Amino acid sequence: MRVAVVGAGAMGCLYAAAFHRAGAAVTLVDVNPEHIAAINARGLELETRAGIETLPLPALRPEQATEAADLLVLFTKTFHTDVALEGVKAIIGPDTHVLTLQNGLGNDEAVARHVARERVIAGVSTMPSDLVGSGRVRSHGEGGSKIYPAFGGDTGFAQRVADLLAAGGLPTHLEPQIQAAIWSKAIFNAAMNTLCALTRRTPGFLGAHDEAKAMISAVVLEGVAAANASGIAIQAQPILDLTVVSVTDHADHEASMLQDVKAGRPTEVDAINGAIVRAARKAGVAVPVTETLWRLVKLEDAKLA
């Protein structure tokens, strides 16, 4: 399988490594010139609990990518989706599938503006990954992926993708209730990502303070109420259990929103907390803690103007 990973940040590199280990022909596509140069010069360095490996993956700028891919894996920021897919339209052939593992809600519909709906695969990942330098990624912690055709239909290609990722070391399975999984991940991020960003601390810090734990629980319960009122049946306890894993097993992981705030980049809070708030309003559900965290992170974004 010819796989193009568009958005070669921490998560993109982690998944590219898995596809490479499984024997796929993988190309990284990104706009960071230092990162691209480092990968092409010495390979992608990936550090996991098992050790450090160096993987010989080609890295290109979007305009350099010209060969049609069987699978395009999209890991850009949500607000870059349209620009990113337009920038790599040369590699989107009539049979190319696009897998979005981006944060937040509504990514499948955004991708469907660029490819046929039957070729959109949606998913979520619970893997931790940090970009520690140009060409260097660290992933210390366990997790996996759930994927499924976003709008229903044939699951054959999605199963091949899941099998490759599993063979490459990232446990992945098909989840027919993928929208419930996406909502659950968004609710988790609405609590954990925002609090990490606002405190400038990793999950271990949150787990050590009752104030943070109370807000985490409140956001999860609000998000579940909004999901259920929107016709997505989910329960709170599995999400709460995942937050416990985050503050223990992933205690030192820098959440993507924390990385963005520290680096002076815009966050994806509109696609996470903002999307939950908008859905809650439409369904007539109050989500005050989720909305407060959304507005506080928006103030962080406003500092960049």
Side-chain angles (χ1 to χ4, degrees), residues 127-188:
M127 296 295 301
S129 190
D130 300 291
L131 186 65
V132 295
S134 295
R136 298 173 55 226
V137 171
R138 178 178 61 228
S139 178
H140 285 192
E142 305 304 320
S145 313
K146 299 176 182 179
I147 67 173
Y148 206 76
F151 305 103
D154 181 49
T155 60
F157 189 88
Q159 186 64 64
R160 288 177 58 199
V161 173
D163 291 344
L164 279 173
L165 286 171
L170 295 185
T172 303
H173 68 270
L174 297 192
E175 174 52 75
Q177 302 303 317
I178 196 62
Q179 293 303 325
I182 290 170
W183 262 89
S184 295
K185 177 66 182 299
I187 293 166
F188 169 88

Side-chain angles (χ1 to χ4, degrees), residues 219-238:
V219 171
V220 170
L221 294 176
E222 289 178 357
V224 168
N228 290 339
S230 301
I232 305 295
I234 58 176
Q235 296 181 339
Q237 194 57 52

Side-chain angles (χ1 to χ4, degrees), residues 4-13 28-31 35 73-77 84:
V5 177
V6 179
M11 292 296 290
C13 286
L28 293 166
V29 182
D30 204 84
V31 295
H35 191 45
V73 186
L74 189 62
F75 265 118
T76 65
K77 296 295 186 182

Side-chain angles (χ1 to χ4, degrees), residues 56-303:
L57 298 176
L60 305 173
R61 285 188 54 81
E63 64 271 16
Q64 297 172 318
T66 57
E67 183 179 2
D70 299 310
L71 173 68
L72 189 159
V73 186
L74 189 62
F75 265 118
T76 65
K77 296 295 186 182
T78 54
F79 46 79
H80 288 151
T81 293
D82 287 326
V83 171
L85 290 179
E86 184 65 24
V88 295
K89 61 183 179 181
I91 68 174
I92 301 176
D95 299 315
T96 302
H97 288 69
V98 177
L99 167 62
T100 168
L101 288 163
Q102 298 160 289
N103 288 325
L105 305 176
N107 295 306
D108 47 4
E109 291 288 354
V111 171
R113 293 195 289 266
H114 299 267
V115 299
R117 293 171 77 86
E118 64 268 21
R119 290 188 278 119
V120 180
I121 304 171
V124 295
S125 170
T126 58
M127 296 295 301
S129 190
D130 300 291
L131 186 65
V132 295
S134 295
R136 298 173 55 226
V137 171
R138 178 178 61 228
S139 178
H140 285 192
E142 305 304 320
S145 313
K146 299 176 182 179
I147 67 173
Y148 206 76
F151 305 103
D154 181 49
T155 60
F157 189 88
Q159 186 64 64
R160 288 177 58 199
V161 173
D163 291 344
L164 279 173
L165 286 171
L170 295 185
T172 303
H173 68 270
L174 297 192
E175 174 52 75
Q177 302 303 317
I178 196 62
Q179 293 303 325
I182 290 170
W183 262 89
S184 295
K185 177 66 182 299
I187 293 166
F188 169 88
N189 280 335
M192 302 303 298
N193 262 13
T194 54
L195 286 170
C196 285
L198 292 168
T199 60
R200 307 295 200 276
R201 295 293 185 272
T202 58
F205 173 83
L206 303 181
H209 295 276
D210 289 340
E211 295 84 357
K213 290 189 285 187
M215 284 190 285
I216 290 169
S217 294
V219 171
V220 170
L221 294 176
E222 289 178 357
V224 168
N228 290 339
S230 301
I232 305 295
I234 58 176
Q235 296 181 339
Q237 194 57 52
I239 307 173
L240 292 170
D241 291 344
L242 190 57
T243 68
V244 174
V245 173
S246 178
V247 303
T248 53
D249 193 46
H250 303 169
D252 297 324
H253 166 58
E254 287 200 350
S256 59
M257 205 174 288
L258 171 58
Q259 294 179 45
D260 290 337
V261 170
K262 288 175 64 175
R265 298 188 298 257
T267 72
E268 296 179 292
V269 73
D270 279 338
I272 302 172
N273 294 58
I276 293 171
V277 170
R278 291 188 291 273
R281 288 174 179 169
K282 185 176 181 181
V285 175
V287 288
V289 181
T290 305
E291 182 164 355
T292 298
L293 293 177
W294 174 41
R295 295 190 182 280
L296 287 171
V297 177
K298 288 292 286 182
L299 286 175
E300 292 291 336
D301 286 349
K303 294 176 184 178

